[in-house]
Amino acid sequence: VLVGTKSGALMLFSMATGDLVHEVQAHKGAVLSLALAPGNTAVLSASADKTLATWIPTPQTDGTAELQPDRTHELTDDALCAHFSPDGKYIAVGLLDASVKVLFFDTFKLFLTLFGHKLPVLSLSISSDGTLLVSGSADKSVKIWGLDFGDCHRSLYAHTESVTAVSFVRGTHYFVSAGKDKLIKFWDADTFEHVMTMRAHTMEVWGIAVSRNGGF
């Protein structure tokens, strides 16, 4: 299990024992997002120090692992969230300045800049076919973007408070959103319809995990 801390460290824990097996000072600011590359070949960390960094998991002889530094990339503002495209070609980064940067993963060169949110982008998800990106923002909206040209297909007033998490359902264009308004909502990114609302929490919802088969 990999954990990013407010002090900028990355901490790797053993799933078998719960012991800390490796720690590295990765950033000068808080680590706000971690993303695992397809194929588990690299880890991406995004930080409030306005940088991205990649790390290579390296097995050790004692059965544990360490993170070896790979590359870093400077951004124009704090990186609040990051997400890989399913084919590993792109990374999308949500910034404090309310924009989304889509970069080529192999070079960190800019592919697209997505403008439209009025407040910081807190969450991102890319569909499993790589054609759509969904962004959730502190402006209470969810925006659906095409990843071919970066056009905004639709902006949805999704929650009455900040949208803290979004996640596509694998193999579909359905996605789930969560917010500070304590709600989880289910959407269709093709028809832009709100399918259902799930009410169960009594406090803010900050994370979503969808099963690989989309059953739960």
Side-chain angles (χ1 to χ4, degrees), residues 46-124:
S47 172
D49 67 2
K50 304 180 183 180
T51 66
L52 301 174
T54 54
W55 308 85
I56 306 301
T58 305
Q60 303 297 298
T61 55
D62 60 359
T64 63
E66 291 187 357
L67 294 173
Q68 300 297 326
D70 182 30
R71 296 176 294 148
T72 60
H73 179 68
E74 293 187 3
L75 299 164
T76 56
D77 213 333
D78 298 16
L80 305 184
C81 53
H83 194 85
F84 276 95
S85 64
D87 60 4
K89 184 177 181 180
Y90 305 110
I91 51 173
V93 187
L95 300 181
L96 185 65
D97 66 7
S99 70
V100 177
K101 303 288 187 183
V102 183
L103 311 172
F104 290 100
F105 176 54
D106 58 352
T107 62
F108 282 141
K109 288 185 177 179
L110 182 66
F111 173 55
L112 295 169
T113 300
L114 309 180
F115 295 108
H117 284 293
K118 297 178 181 179
L119 290 172
V121 178
L122 304 179
S123 54
L124 295 168

Side-chain angles (χ1 to χ4, degrees), residues 116-117 133-136 139 141-145 152 154-156:
H117 284 293
L133 181 148
V134 168
S135 57
D139 65 11
S141 75
V142 163
K143 294 187 185 296
I144 303 166
W145 311 83
C152 183
R154 187 65 62 94
S155 182
L156 304 170

Side-chain angles (χ1 to χ4, degrees), residues 9-63:
L10 295 179
M11 305 174 71
L12 189 63
F13 292 88
S14 167
M15 284 287 288
T17 65
D19 294 334
L20 176 65
V21 297
H22 184 62
E23 182 175 358
V24 59
Q25 189 61 38
H27 294 275
K28 295 178 181 178
V31 179
L32 300 178
S33 184
L34 295 171
L36 187 62
N40 304 332
T41 56
V43 174
L44 176 73
S45 56
S47 172
D49 67 2
K50 304 180 183 180
T51 66
L52 301 174
T54 54
W55 308 85
I56 306 301
T58 305
Q60 303 297 298
T61 55
D62 60 359

